[in-house]
Structure formats: structure tokens, C-alpha cells
Amino acid sequence: MAPRGEPLGGLGAVMEVRAATVQDVETLVRLRIEMFREMGWLTGSVTEADLITASREYFSAMIPARRFFAWLAADDGKIVGSSGLIFLFKPPTPDNMSGREGYIMNMYTLPEYRRRGVATALLGECVRFARSMGAGRLSLHASSLGKPVYQKFGFVDSRGEMRMAVDAVQRRGEPGLTREVSRE
């Protein structure tokens, strides 16, 4: 996708939003770590250095493989925000006959550039690209700061999702997960 210039309030005359490439891996890693740091998620057993290494390896492999798509926003050449998108392929459902779903992640804007349209521009790129790829549904996890931006695009709150950390359950040796399953 060619760079797109969009005038935004409070920024330079034109903000550039462009697709990230493998040459942008270090920038994507830096913004991802800043996002997690701000969210208070860099506590626990995983070190920041380990997360940096794992993120660098992921982006370096998945961007050229076209399994992770990202966009960067720049103000006069300074990267001020990022967004990311992956696709999931599920069986068709009545409300998503394609079965293709996009998951938006890594939405992050530097604090001094917030409330100036950066996230809106980045999200717009994600939505346009997902539509062009035939995605029937998009989802994301919203921070309280991001929720109004997503709602403007038509995202609605869905509380029905449940999660589990597979490794944690396996370590506990939960009943039913350690016995063999017949493949007949």
C-alpha cells in the first residue's frame, strides 16, 4: 500500500500512514513494549528482554510471510503510532459466511500524540485492508482510552469471550488434559 497523507488536528501539515515492512521490526518492537509498559503488563515471570526477543522473532518471520500486517503513523518523519492485524480462518457461521476474521492488535499512539486522530487513521487502514481481504468480522481488545475510537467505527462490546492459558493448565495437570484421546 502506498503511503497515505492525511491532515490531522494538532500534527504537522500531513501525517503519513504507511504499511510496515520487515525493515520496521525494531520500531514495532519498541512501540509494543511501550504499550505493554503503559498497560502495566511487564510484570511477572517474563522479562522485558525475553519479550523483546520473542517479538522481534515473530515480526521478522510473520511480516514477510504475510501473516502479520502492520501500519505506522508518522508526523514529519517521526513514528508516532502503530497498528497490527492478523487473520484467523474458521468454519463459516451464519453471521460470517467467509469464516475469515481479522484480529486487530498493537494499536498504540505515543502519549503526546493522542486525541489527534492518529489511532483513527491507523484503525481505518486496518479496517480497509481487512475488508479488501474478505474478512467477515473484526475483533480486538480495547483499553479504556481506545474504546471510543473503536465505537466510532462500529465495534461493540462483547463480553462472551472466555480464555485460558494452556501452559498454566498443563502445568497444574488438570484432570482430563493428561489422558490420551482416542483418534478412532
Side-chain angles (χ1 to χ4, degrees):
M1 177 179 296
R4 179 193 321 261
E6 299 182 22
L8 295 175
L11 295 178
V14 175
M15 180 186 68
E16 176 190 30
V17 176
R18 65 172 178 82
T21 69
V22 74
Q23 285 76 33
D24 297 307
V25 165
E26 293 305 317
T27 299
L28 291 168
V29 169
R30 179 178 51 81
L31 292 173
R32 182 172 172 80
I33 295 301
E34 287 181 33
M35 177 186 71
F36 285 138
R37 190 178 290 130
E38 206 173 286
M39 294 167 58
W41 285 18
L42 291 178
T43 59
S45 62
V46 175
T47 69
E48 186 172 314
D50 289 340
L51 185 57
I52 287 169
T53 299
S55 295
R56 183 179 293 126
E57 289 171 1
Y58 176 87
F59 293 141
S60 294
M62 296 301 148
I63 291 172
R66 296 187 51 79
R67 295 187 61 198
F68 179 82
F69 304 89
W71 291 267
L72 297 170
D75 179 35
D76 291 328
K78 177 184 178 181
I79 301 297
V80 299
S82 65
S83 61
L85 175 68
I86 61 170
F87 290 101
L88 308 169
F89 301 94
K90 298 179 177 181
T93 60
D95 64 341
N96 183 11
M97 289 298 291
S98 75
R100 181 173 259 202
E101 295 186 14
Y103 182 77
I104 296 171
M105 61 179 59
N106 291 355
M107 289 289 299
Y108 182 73
T109 303
L110 295 177
E112 62 271 25
Y113 286 88
R114 292 184 184 153
R115 305 190 64 76
R116 298 184 190 185
V118 174
T120 298
L122 289 163
L123 183 59
E125 290 300 315
C126 289
V127 171
R128 280 189 280 280
F129 186 74
R131 186 177 291 127
S132 76
M133 296 297 287
R137 179 181 300 140
L138 286 170
S139 62
L140 53 78
H141 284 87
S143 68
S144 58
L145 286 173
K147 204 171 213 177
V149 174
Y150 307 132
Q151 289 171 328
K152 281 192 302 187
F153 272 80
F155 285 85
V156 294
D157 203 3
S158 174
R159 301 207 184 269
E161 181 177 294
M162 296 179 70
R163 293 184 189 174
M164 80 175 231
V166 175
D167 288 343
V169 172
Q170 289 175 343
R171 283 193 301 267
R172 288 195 311 257
E174 294 292 325
L177 294 178
T178 56
R179 66 176 184 256
E180 289 201 24
V181 176
S182 171
R183 299 216 182 252
E184 296 174 10

